[in-house]
């Protein structure tokens, strides 16, 4: 079954067409700057070079039209007809408490998704926009919503509850939900394969370190805690997001700088984290380069990033009551020996020891980077969220 995987942001659509019979990604790409000047579609068929198409792309409907057209185009296409797209899998950020698994998209489900906008105003509206655009462009093709939160659905109450009046949870659903679920799930399954043991017998800590970043504690295949919370702002420091803060800081800064809610939101989500501390960039490669050139604030940003990650890893060993493997994934986790080395420092006491040579070799590929004698295996595993979405989509469509 050929599944089109769609991930819609406010001004972007990422896509991938995956043949789930062979797990080959036939083509992937992205439409950027939707509704702005300079919209561009970048498209890469699996067997040909990447192409860029500049066009006026005013909204998500036009964007999906462009995607479908290029998937069928003579020179850059990988299919001949629309009907070859047999199902569509949509990444939906927030599934709230209701969704513990992926679901078929129906008119009733769209109502549920709209009701969840309150929990994820920055993310879910764009996901819904993508679903509506596909309904227009590819009518009749079955569609499935795959939630970032679903994998964390079994988290126990002591891990998801915040120290606020309980009525806040009951009234507004304020609790930890967790995100990046498809990635944590994927790498935990690959880790079990690498270790040659059933996932049900393993205690794992998975670190998804991309532009957004989160850590999960996974016991027997179940996420029992994770660093992102009510929104994807909590936890690790990220490219432009603050991660954990004393909540009183927000009130203080809002009062001092007379910020509106919108401005405070932008400060925390767009101008903080690595970018905010370093003043250099939100991109880890540039932070590492600047830190190596002795840029003082880039060094602080890098050290703070790794230190916070190390604290989470150590805390989650406590949450799990032991550890079999620590897993690094996503852009930074897969590609940065520096961040892996720095975040594992001083964790020898917990059985985590990495081999420097292996660590330096593990760039963008699956590898065990632990020393031979380490009690805990440290693994680098490239993530593949799109493949999880494609498989889930097929499973749900075939079950109808
Ligand atoms: P997204 O969360 O947008 O999917 P990615 O998983 O692609 O992002 O991760 C992007 C991050 O990965 C950026 O901070 C980028 O600098 C970082 N990254 C990519 N390659 C390297 C590398 N070789 N060394 C350090 N960081 C890297």
């Amino acid at each position: 079954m050929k599944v089109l995987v769609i991930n819609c942001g406010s001004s972007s659509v990422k896509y991938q067409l995956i043949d789930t019979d062979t797990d080959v990604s036939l083509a992937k790409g992205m439409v950027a700057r939707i509704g702005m000047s300079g919209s561009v579609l970048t498209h890469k068929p699996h067997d040909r070079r990447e192409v860029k198409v500049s066009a006026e792309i005013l909204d998500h409907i036009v964007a999906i039209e462009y995607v479908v057209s290029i998937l069928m185009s003579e020179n850059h296409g990988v299919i001949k007809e629309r009907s070859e797209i047999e199902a569509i899998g949509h990444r939906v950020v927030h599934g709230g408490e209701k969704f513990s698994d992926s679901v078929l998209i129906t008119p009733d489900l769209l109502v549920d998704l709209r009701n969840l906008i309150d929990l994820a105003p920055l993310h879910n509206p764009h996901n819904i926009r993508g679903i509506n655009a596909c309904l227009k462009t590819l009518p009749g093709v079955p569609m499935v919503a795959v939630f970032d939160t679903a994998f964390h659905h079994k988290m126990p109450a002591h891990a998801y509850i915040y120290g606020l009046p309980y009525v806040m949870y009951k009234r507004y659903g304020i609790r930890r939900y967790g995100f990046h679920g498809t990635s944590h799930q994927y790498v935990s399954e690959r880790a079990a394969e690498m270790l040659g043991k059933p996932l049900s017998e393993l205690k794992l800590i998975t670190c998804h370190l991309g532009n957004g970043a989160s850590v999960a504690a996974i016991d027997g295949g179940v996420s029992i805690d994770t660093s992102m919370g009510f929104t994807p702002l909590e936890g690790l420091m990220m490219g432009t997001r603050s991660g954990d803060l004393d909540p009183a800081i927000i009130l203080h800064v809002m009062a001092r700088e007379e910020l509106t809610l919108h401005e405070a939101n932008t400060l925390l989500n767009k101008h903080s984290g690595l970018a905010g501390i370093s003043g250099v960039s939100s991109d880890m490669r540039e932070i590492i380069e600047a830190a190596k050139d002795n840029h003082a604030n880039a060094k602080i940003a890098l050290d703070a990033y790794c230190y916070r990650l190390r604290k989470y890893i150590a805390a989650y060993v406590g949450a799990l009551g032991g550890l079999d493997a620590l897993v690094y994934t996503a852009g930074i986790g897969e590609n940065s020996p520096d961040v892996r080395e720095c975040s594992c420092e001083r964790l020898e006491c917990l059985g985590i020891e990495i081999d420097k040579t292996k660590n330096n070799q593990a760039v963008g590929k699956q590898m065990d980077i632990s020393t031979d004698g380490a009690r805990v295996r440290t693994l680098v595993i490239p993530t593949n969220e799109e493949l999880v979405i494609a498989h889930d989509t097929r499973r749900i469509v075939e079950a109808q």
Side-chain angles (χ1 to χ4, degrees):
M1 180 186 285
K2 288 187 185 120
V3 178
L4 179 62
V5 175
I6 296 285
N7 180 358
C8 271
S10 59
S11 61
S12 70
V13 175
K14 289 186 190 158
Y15 64 92
Q16 218 174 110
L17 185 66
I18 296 179
D19 183 341
T20 55
D21 296 331
T22 56
D23 283 353
V24 171
S25 164
L26 301 171
K28 61 176 149 186
M30 174 171 175
V31 186
R33 301 186 61 83
I34 297 169
M36 304 178 199
S37 62
S39 316
V40 60
L41 164 62
T42 310
H43 174 79
K44 169 85 181 74
H46 70 112
D47 53 357
R48 274 151 289 160
R49 66 180 180 80
E50 182 180 285
V51 282
K52 279 189 193 289
V53 181
S54 296
E56 197 176 357
I57 301 178
L58 289 178
D59 58 28
H60 288 72
I61 299 175
V62 180
I64 298 284
E65 262 304 337
Y66 267 95
V67 170
V68 175
S69 298
I70 202 156
L71 285 170
M72 295 190 303
S73 78
E74 208 170 312
N75 292 333
H76 314 297
V78 290
I79 53 172
K80 292 210 160 57
E81 294 172 18
R82 277 172 197 241
S83 58
E84 287 182 54
I85 300 172
E86 294 166 271
I88 304 168
H90 288 271
R91 176 192 183 202
V92 178
V93 169
H94 217 307
E97 288 201 307
K98 183 158 182 166
F99 296 105
S100 57
D101 195 4
S102 306
V103 281
L104 192 74
I105 297 173
T106 59
D108 282 351
L109 184 90
L110 274 168
V111 174
D112 284 335
L113 293 185
R114 278 191 207 102
N115 290 336
L116 286 169
I117 286 179
D118 190 38
L119 288 179
L122 299 182
H123 302 276
N124 277 25
H126 314 308
N127 304 151
I128 294 172
R129 214 163 281 146
I131 293 170
N132 285 330
C134 288
L135 277 172
K136 276 229 155 72
T137 312
L138 294 161
V141 180
M143 299 203 284
V144 171
V146 180
F147 300 98
D148 259 29
T149 47
F151 180 61
H152 303 295
H153 198 261
K154 291 191 187 140
M155 204 185 325
H158 63 250
Y160 73 62
I161 204 73
Y162 288 108
L164 289 168
Y166 198 71
V167 68
M168 297 291 133
Y169 165 55
K170 291 312 249 181
R171 205 179 282 161
Y172 304 118
I174 291 178
R175 50 159 283 180
R176 177 180 312 285
Y177 291 97
F179 299 88
H180 291 142
T182 47
S183 179
H184 290 295
Q185 181 189 342
Y186 178 81
V187 298
S188 58
E189 286 167 3
R190 294 293 79 71
E193 280 174 14
M194 281 177 82
L195 299 171
K197 288 198 178 146
L199 187 54
S200 57
E201 291 174 14
L202 290 171
K203 293 181 188 292
L204 303 172
I205 295 176
T206 51
C207 308
H208 176 107
L209 311 176
N211 284 312
S214 67
V215 193
I218 301 171
D219 198 352
V222 176
S223 169
I224 61 156
D225 202 354
T226 187
S227 58
M228 282 180 168
F230 178 63
T231 74
L233 183 57
E234 193 184 348
L236 299 175
M237 188 183 292
M238 305 175 218
T240 60
R241 294 180 218 155
S242 64
D244 295 336
L245 288 178
D246 175 346
I249 295 169
I250 302 156
L251 308 177
H252 186 84
V253 174
M254 281 183 80
R256 286 295 162 95
E257 306 233 330
E258 295 180 11
L259 300 184
T260 62
L261 282 177
H262 178 73
E263 287 165 336
N265 212 1
T266 305
L267 174 77
L268 296 169
N269 279 290
K270 305 257 189 237
H271 300 303
S272 297
L274 292 173
I277 298 175
S278 70
V280 170
S281 169
S282 64
D283 189 302
M284 184 54 96
R285 280 166 294 201
E286 291 176 28
I287 298 283
I288 292 173
E289 237 169 72
K292 286 184 178 162
D293 285 343
N294 281 321
H295 187 291
N297 278 29
K299 273 177 84 111
I300 297 175
L302 180 60
D303 288 346
Y305 183 95
C306 295
Y307 177 66
R308 186 170 295 185
L309 176 55
R310 193 196 312 160
K311 285 206 297 186
Y312 263 102
I313 295 168
Y316 283 178
V317 175
L320 288 163
L323 184 64
D324 294 298
L326 170 66
V327 181
Y328 286 93
T329 193
I332 298 170
E334 291 164 27
N335 295 300
S336 177
D338 293 308
V339 169
R340 293 191 299 249
E341 184 177 337
C342 177
S343 56
C344 282
E345 244 170 46
R346 297 181 172 211
L347 295 182
E348 295 84 1
C349 57
L350 299 175
I352 298 167
E353 282 174 55
I354 60 174
D355 178 306
K356 275 198 180 184
T357 312
K358 289 182 195 162
N359 184 33
N360 287 331
Q361 286 166 350
V363 177
K365 61 179 175 192
Q366 185 169 303
M367 251 182 97
D368 182 335
I369 59 167
S370 6
T371 59
D372 291 340
R375 258 191 299 130
V376 170
R377 306 323 294 167
T378 301
L379 310 174
V380 176
I381 304 180
T383 194
N384 195 340
E385 293 164 279
E386 290 78 11
L387 191 62
V388 175
I389 295 175
H391 281 179
D392 258 29
T393 301
R394 178 181 181 149
R395 173 174 60 84
I396 299 290
V397 168
E398 286 183 343
Q400 299 309 308

